[in-house]
Amino acid sequence: FWDFLILFFCLPVVIFNEITKKRLLGDVSCHIVPFMEVSLLGVTTFSLCALGIDRFHAATSPQASARPIEQCQSIIAKLAVIWVGSMTLSVPEILLWQLAQDTSPVSGMVTEYCTMKPSSNLPESVYSLVLTYQNARMWWYFGCYFCLPILFTVSCQLVTRRISGTEKKTECRGTKHSQCESHLNCTIIGLTIIYGLCTTPENVCNIVVAYMSPDMSKQTLDLLNLINQFFLFFKCSVTPILLLCLCRPLGQAFMDCCCCCCEGCSPDTASSEGSADSKLKTEMSSSIFFDKPRESPPPLLGLGTPC
């Protein structure tokens, strides 16, 4: 959902600015776009950490194949903590950026752009905090939004694989359950790889600009900033597709929802049978995804003679 917000709101603003050299929505976009982009990094970081913890609990649970389905209230609470925490850590971005104008000496054209400069109208205590954040922003980016999710995911995967390897010979884990665990682990690894590849250029550019910005022209800095933003947009576009392709139960549920919306609500028998079939498939897929054990069939009654 947050990837969709980035593509729906931030991408048109950036494209409009590059084409017209005017900032869409003016000074408001200079505050909102960086805030949403940094919030996206936080949401992805803490989501990967939460998924790593979930896989670790699945591997260390004494009865992993009999884990109950997690309640919706618990999932919503975790999402609320991740989103509220990410947006809270991104609040300094709102106070850090301002709209600036530059006039070309050749054509006389006025160009609008966003600059990283705290407003002097801020209270003194808030202004000092924003300056401290600006000075530590590069290493905060690198440590929290790059190293933390990658190291956390790699550590959880290594521990999970070690535990799974030692318990592979036991009988408590079925074949289908092991396949489900493998699919979920591959999904988390794929999401982490995409996130790491798309955020590496931005972190490299931040470190280079921090130590070489006096020797670089404004055009070069703008080009690097544009490349970093489009890597972020690429990550927002690829992540949902990768998630639906790697996680088969989620992809099947998504396709069932799309087919249900396309067919519409028709009371005929064929549609009811199709909906019942799709519902059965969704329930089977969800039971695999949430590690729900398959219920054993009722015992057959003895009919006829003992022979």
Side-chain angles (χ1 to χ4, degrees), residues 42-257:
V43 168
T44 308
T45 295
F46 301 137
S47 297
L48 290 175
C49 294
L51 291 173
I53 295 175
D54 179 75
R55 291 297 90 207
F56 176 76
H57 285 169
T60 57
S61 178
Q63 294 180 349
S65 59
R67 293 177 66 202
I69 297 178
E70 188 173 3
Q71 297 295 326
C72 183
Q73 292 82 358
S74 175
I75 298 176
I76 294 177
K78 292 179 181 179
L79 291 176
V81 171
I82 291 173
W83 284 20
V84 172
S86 302
M87 290 187 290
T88 302
L89 294 176
S90 305
V91 169
E93 296 288 332
I94 300 178
L95 307 175
L96 185 60
W97 295 86
Q98 286 189 17
L99 181 65
Q101 295 181 347
D102 188 16
T103 304
S104 176
V106 179
S107 61
M109 181 180 178
V110 178
T111 304
E112 294 181 350
Y113 61 95
C114 295
T115 180
M116 192 183 300
K117 182 180 178 181
S119 176
S120 58
N121 298 326
L122 295 174
E124 184 176 356
S125 58
V126 178
Y127 184 79
S128 61
L129 290 176
V130 175
L131 282 180
T132 304
Y133 173 80
Q134 181 180 1
N135 296 329
R137 185 175 183 267
M138 176 192 65
W139 295 112
W140 170 253
Y141 255 64
F142 181 74
C144 182
Y145 297 137
F146 182 76
C147 295
L148 177 62
I150 294 178
L151 294 178
F152 202 93
T153 304
V154 170
S155 301
C156 289
Q157 289 298 319
L158 291 177
V159 175
T160 302
R161 288 181 181 275
R162 183 177 180 85
I163 295 176
S164 301
T166 56
E167 297 181 354
K168 189 173 288 186
K169 296 182 180 180
T170 60
E171 299 179 358
C172 64
R173 297 173 183 268
T175 305
K176 292 186 177 180
H177 178 75
S178 300
Q179 292 178 354
C180 176
E181 293 291 327
S182 177
H183 284 311
L184 294 177
N185 290 332
C186 291
T187 302
I188 298 175
I189 293 175
L191 293 176
T192 305
I193 291 175
I194 291 295
Y195 178 74
L197 292 177
C198 293
T199 54
T200 297
E202 182 176 6
N203 287 277
V204 173
C205 291
N206 289 338
I207 296 175
V208 171
V209 169
Y211 293 102
M212 300 179 60
S213 57
D215 302 331
M216 303 176 68
S217 61
K218 182 180 179 301
Q219 289 77 11
T220 304
L221 296 176
D222 293 340
L223 179 61
L224 293 177
N225 186 31
L226 182 63
I227 293 174
N228 295 333
Q229 284 187 317
F230 273 98
F231 266 107
L232 188 65
F233 297 146
F234 177 77
K235 177 259 174 192
C236 295
S237 304
V238 172
T239 299
I241 300 175
L242 181 68
L243 185 61
L244 294 177
C245 292
L246 291 180
C247 189
R248 296 178 183 177
L250 184 60
Q252 183 63 40
F254 180 77
M255 294 302 297
D256 292 340
C257 292

